Amino acid sequence: MKYSILSDIFKKLDSTTKRLEMIEILIELFNKTPIENFRHVIYLTSGKIGADYKNLDFGFADKMVIKVIAKAVGKPVKQISDLYKQIGDLGEVAELLIKETGQQHLGAFFQTTTSKQKNSLTIEDVWNNLHKIVNTEGKGSASKKTNILLGMFSEASPNEAKYITRTVLTQLRLGVKDLTIIEALSRKFGDGKEARVKIERAYNVTSDIGEVGEVLARNGMEGIEKITIQVGRPIRMMAAQRMASIEEILEKLGGECALEFKYDGERVQGHILNDDVSLYSRNLNEISSMYPDVEKALKNSLKSKDIIVEGEITAWDPVDEKLKPFQILMSRKRKYGINEAVQSIPVKVFLFDILYIDGESLLEKSYPQRRKILESNILDNDIIVLSSRKIVSSPVLFEEYFENAIENGCEGIMAKDTRDETQYQAGNRGFLWIKHKFDYSESFADSYDFIVVGGFYGKGRRKGTLGTLLMAAFNAEEERFETVCKLGSGFTDEDLAKVTEDLMKLKVEQRPKDVISKMTPDVWIQPTKVYEIQGADLSTSPIHTCALDEIKKDTGIAIRFPRFIRFRDDKNPDQATTTSEIINAYKNQRTKNR
Ligand code: ATP
């Protein structure tokens, strides 16, 4: 399959923000895609070359790509940089210049190495070259990567060069999210809604949209139904709803529920197969290398050697035998000096779920059944333990357990539904788990996870840094980011230094297509980073776009007096607080105020 077919589709996707149109365009693409290219086409449309959890990194920065374009078109680097400042998108710069200069310069450049013609690139060519780029490491890797990109430019049409450039910069920005692809797949291969549920299940179990697409192309819906858990491949995690009133939680869960401590650490999904252990974080990144102690403990402390469990890794004080705050655990998140950190920051893992054992998926089993299997599988040891738990059926006992959790250094409790229909809902945030945190009980101070979409430069002492950030909630239905507040307080000087350093790498010249904003910040930021904030309350706002027109015409909902709490590097933007959660919180607050 020619890459030009895909890049023409990208152009069409680029020209619309409407989800339905995107779905139609994707179906058109699938109709043109041979079976053997399905996987490639799906990943490339998401700007990736593998499943998300594989952490594949092209390692290209703007400056490197500017140099490649300069070389490709035989123009000075300064001219490319100036054009970039003017246009704001290196993809467009590459397109424009290659159109202008034609392939003559490149043809001459590559005369000795290639006899290929413009427009001859196939999907396989691009795929293999992108993989080569990712796999080129170590000394001299920058120039090797550069040459591979240059080679692709020599065969690319202007439009192809545009999307190749954006891909290697991880700024494809077509606005196509996994759920949109799932919708298109279910219309192509199934009969709509019913098929979508099945495809979504397969996606939640594999965390791999390319795999799902390929299975569909090869074996249709029959193949999808056969997809099952594989140890070593993360399962999208089940999440919890939030509720502020104990009475309402009890009522929602049928008058009786299990309460567990809500430990304040890092969620982990541990996959164990004999001697192989892999650990995945909340956003399914592999974190095994950071926790060799947890790896070892999991290998030795579970009866089964073919098992997937979930729990919370927390910093632990072995002398006083108590939990330590989340911030302490964060010092374990590093690339170097791991062994020292293992010694200086001991951890415990509180297991709260089990998803698979000895060849059998446990996702369909009820929570009480899963808990029983988990309980019977932990051997006596120091690191891997069960989460604390109690069944309650009265608000008094609930409150008592909640206080106990806070006294023990937890954030609050997780209330879990103990009835029969309580399977593990992979990838879903439902009411089978309800979180109730300490901050909910203090007036309206509630915490949210928002995505940074823009920044305003600071004044005075904060000059040169990003002093205030434009934050957005995730609209899961429309798959876009809607602004909800400006965040300028709660940062320490150290935080602010990290904020500027992290965010300036994600600066983009134009408003990303999937960011909906009435405001124009000093800089736009690619919606990637999630920060936890706490707000005093929610109010309607004419300047923010979250839940626009839902409560009042031309008006959104905003968080008042937001304060930064912490970085949530363990979350992806689509795991942030959603617009519908904000609408619910706003409505609940109004009911309470009456
Ligand atoms: P939050 O931002 O509230 O920490 P989250 O958005 O990361 O939560 P939620 O599913 O909303 O995820 O809250 C549940 C989180 O609480 C889990 O992801 C897990 O990390 C943590 N947790 C701590 N203790 C438990 C427990 N006993 N059972 C389930 N989750 C727990």
Side-chain angles (χ1 to χ4, degrees):
M1 180 177 176
K2 279 189 158 187
Y3 183 65
S4 60
I5 299 180
L6 189 60
S7 62
D8 286 347
I9 290 280
F10 285 177
K11 196 172 178 176
K12 281 193 187 173
L13 287 168
D14 231 351
S15 66
T16 180
T17 50
K18 296 200 183 86
R19 193 161 178 262
L20 277 180
E21 279 178 23
M22 284 186 184
I23 292 167
E24 293 301 324
I25 300 168
L26 286 173
I27 294 174
E28 181 192 333
L29 169 64
F30 297 154
N31 287 338
K32 291 178 178 166
T33 304
I35 291 178
E36 63 274 16
N37 285 127
F38 240 83
R39 178 186 288 267
H40 308 144
V41 158
I42 288 182
Y43 288 137
L44 289 170
T45 306
S46 322
K48 300 180 283 205
I49 51 164
D52 276 338
Y53 64 87
K54 294 210 165 128
N55 299 343
L56 299 166
D57 184 6
F58 295 114
F60 267 107
D62 286 359
K63 273 195 187 141
M64 253 165 102
V65 174
I66 288 175
K67 279 192 200 149
V68 180
I69 298 176
K71 218 167 177 180
V73 297
K75 292 204 168 8
V77 167
K78 165 113 183 28
Q79 196 178 330
I80 317 293
S81 300
D82 289 348
L83 207 53
Y84 175 37
K85 275 190 200 127
Q86 214 179 314
I87 299 180
D89 172 2
L90 273 176
E92 275 181 38
V93 172
E95 179 185 31
L96 184 81
L97 292 177
I98 290 184
K99 204 181 276 170
E100 243 175 54
T101 54
Q103 241 74 2
Q104 297 132 1
H105 178 81
L106 278 162
F109 197 85
F110 274 92
Q111 231 161 24
T112 49
T113 54
T114 177
S115 57
K116 285 207 170 182
Q117 298 289 311
K118 172 178 171 180
N119 255 339
S120 61
L121 274 179
T122 63
I123 300 272
E124 283 89 352
D125 293 334
V126 174
W127 179 261
N128 292 337
N129 279 319
L130 291 175
H131 271 278
K132 268 192 222 155
I133 290 177
V134 167
N135 294 328
T136 304
E137 284 172 9
K139 219 173 149 210
S141 61
S143 82
K144 283 185 203 147
K145 283 177 195 274
T146 299
N147 278 334
I148 300 169
L149 183 57
L150 204 50
M152 280 199 277
F153 280 169
S154 78
E155 294 168 39
S157 70
N159 190 50
E160 289 173 326
K162 171 178 174 176
Y163 292 108
I164 290 171
T165 304
R166 286 193 185 172
T167 302
V168 296
L169 285 169
T170 56
Q171 290 181 10
L172 190 60
R173 299 197 301 236
L174 299 177
V176 177
K177 307 249 173 1
D178 286 359
L179 284 182
T180 312
I181 296 177
I182 289 176
E183 183 62 42
L185 286 172
S186 46
R187 291 188 195 192
K188 157 114 184 109
F189 291 101
D191 44 9
K193 189 148 188 274
E194 208 180 304
R196 199 185 64 222
V197 173
K198 290 180 182 163
I199 296 174
E200 252 182 72
R201 182 206 68 88
Y203 170 65
N204 288 330
V205 165
T206 56
S207 309
D208 189 341
I209 190 72
E211 165 85 10
V212 169
E214 179 165 331
V215 168
L216 272 169
R218 289 193 189 280
N219 305 317
M221 289 305 293
E222 221 172 280
I224 281 297
E225 287 177 43
K226 287 196 190 129
I227 283 189
T228 172
I229 294 180
Q230 238 175 50
V231 180
R233 185 171 67 185
I235 296 161
R236 297 185 74 235
M237 297 192 194
M238 175 167 176
Q241 285 284 354
R242 63 177 80 205
M243 276 176 114
S245 144
I246 287 177
E247 286 77 10
E248 281 170 31
I249 296 177
L250 270 172
E251 193 190 316
K252 186 95 191 163
L253 299 179
E256 181 178 276
C257 65
L259 298 183
E260 294 185 20
F261 279 8
K262 186 176 193 308
Y263 300 94
D264 196 9
E266 170 158 33
R267 183 160 180 178
V268 65
Q269 195 176 87
H271 289 235
I272 299 110
L273 183 58
N274 301 320
D275 280 341
D276 290 330
V277 180
S278 7
L279 309 178
Y280 295 98
S281 68
R282 175 85 169 84
N283 53 0
L284 311 184
N285 281 333
E286 235 210 280
I287 48 170
S288 315
S289 62
M290 279 171 221
Y291 296 108
D293 44 348
V294 174
E295 267 186 311
K296 192 166 161 218
L298 275 174
K299 213 180 330 187
N300 298 328
S301 315
L302 299 172
K303 271 192 203 153
S304 166
K305 297 286 166 220
D306 181 19
I307 186 168
I308 302 175
V309 289
E310 261 187 26
E312 190 87 353
I313 304 179
T314 46
W316 178 254
D317 180 340
V319 179
D320 290 341
E321 301 212 335
K322 60 177 199 197
L323 295 163
K324 284 183 148 182
F326 169 81
Q327 283 73 11
I328 308 269
L329 183 75
M330 284 304 99
S331 339
R332 286 287 295 264
K333 302 211 70 80
R334 54 171 87 182
K335 278 199 181 126
Y336 308 103
I338 305 272
N339 290 337
E340 293 76 30
V342 166
Q343 296 305 322
S344 59
I345 308 159
V347 298
K348 256 199 201 302
V349 184
F350 293 90
L351 294 185
F352 52 73
D353 223 316
I354 178 163
L355 315 189
Y356 163 97
I357 191 163
D358 300 331
E360 189 194 350
S361 164
L362 302 179
L363 300 185
E364 305 300 323
K365 295 232 181 291
S366 70
Y367 158 65
Q369 286 170 324
R370 296 199 307 278
R371 177 80 187 191
K372 219 173 187 176
I373 300 172
L374 178 64
E375 278 171 6
S376 66
N377 253 284
I378 303 178
L379 302 169
D380 196 23
N381 78 105
D382 280 344
I383 297 188
I384 311 293
V385 288
L386 265 177
S387 61
S388 160
R389 176 176 186 261
K390 184 177 179 150
I391 306 285
V392 300
S393 51
S394 81
V396 175
L397 290 178
F398 193 125
E399 185 77 45
E400 216 173 82
Y401 189 80
F402 175 67
E403 276 167 21
N404 185 9
I406 303 297
E407 274 160 25
N408 276 284
C410 290
E411 279 188 291
I413 53 87
M414 296 288 295
K416 297 189 177 177
D417 198 324
T418 51
R419 289 172 286 188
D420 290 345
E421 296 288 300
T422 50
Q423 50 279 72
Y424 183 94
Q425 295 183 328
N428 190 21
R429 189 183 289 283
F431 280 95
L432 294 185
W433 290 2
I434 303 177
K435 55 186 171 181
H436 180 75
K437 295 203 230 175
F438 181 61
D439 48 20
Y440 301 170
S441 32
E442 290 177 332
S443 67
F444 285 117
D446 205 344
S447 79
Y448 308 92
D449 299 320
F450 290 139
I451 308 111
V452 188
V453 295
F456 300 87
Y457 288 118
K459 297 199 178 76
R461 203 167 62 88
R462 287 183 175 186
K463 212 168 160 199
T465 62
L466 292 176
T468 305
L469 306 175
L470 184 59
M471 308 298 294
F474 178 56
N475 182 326
E477 283 76 39
E478 301 292 330
E479 299 192 306
R480 60 192 201 190
F481 305 99
E482 301 175 340
T483 73
V484 68
C485 64
K486 276 167 82 177
L487 175 66
S489 65
F491 296 108
T492 61
D493 285 350
E494 221 182 359
D495 292 336
L496 276 181
K498 177 172 158 61
V499 163
T500 304
E501 195 194 324
D502 283 359
L503 296 184
M504 289 314 267
K505 287 187 205 140
L506 298 167
K507 180 176 157 217
V508 285
E509 299 298 320
Q510 291 161 340
R511 176 176 58 79
K513 213 176 119 187
D514 45 6
V515 170
I516 311 298
S517 174
K518 291 189 187 175
M519 250 178 268
T520 306
D522 292 337
V523 288
W524 290 109
I525 306 290
Q526 220 180 307
T528 321
K529 290 280 172 197
V530 179
Y531 293 177
E532 183 172 338
I533 68 117
Q534 198 166 62
D537 60 11
L538 299 128
S539 66
T540 52
S541 154
I543 54 169
H544 285 290
T545 54
C546 175
L548 196 66
D549 298 331
E550 288 284 339
I551 308 291
K552 215 160 108 190
K553 195 160 169 17
D554 289 333
T555 303
I557 301 178
I559 307 291
R560 292 178 63 219
F561 308 120
R563 283 178 59 76
F564 172 79
I565 303 290
R566 64 189 179 196
F567 300 105
R568 291 298 308 254
D569 290 334
D570 62 331
K571 278 201 162 185
N572 287 338
D574 59 0
Q575 293 166 327
T577 302
T578 60
T579 301
S580 56
E581 283 180 89
I582 295 292
I583 297 172
N584 282 343
Y586 178 81
K587 288 182 179 159
N588 279 342
Q589 174 188 302
R590 297 219 356 151
T591 326
K592 270 207 219 152
N593 275 346
R594 273 196 201 125

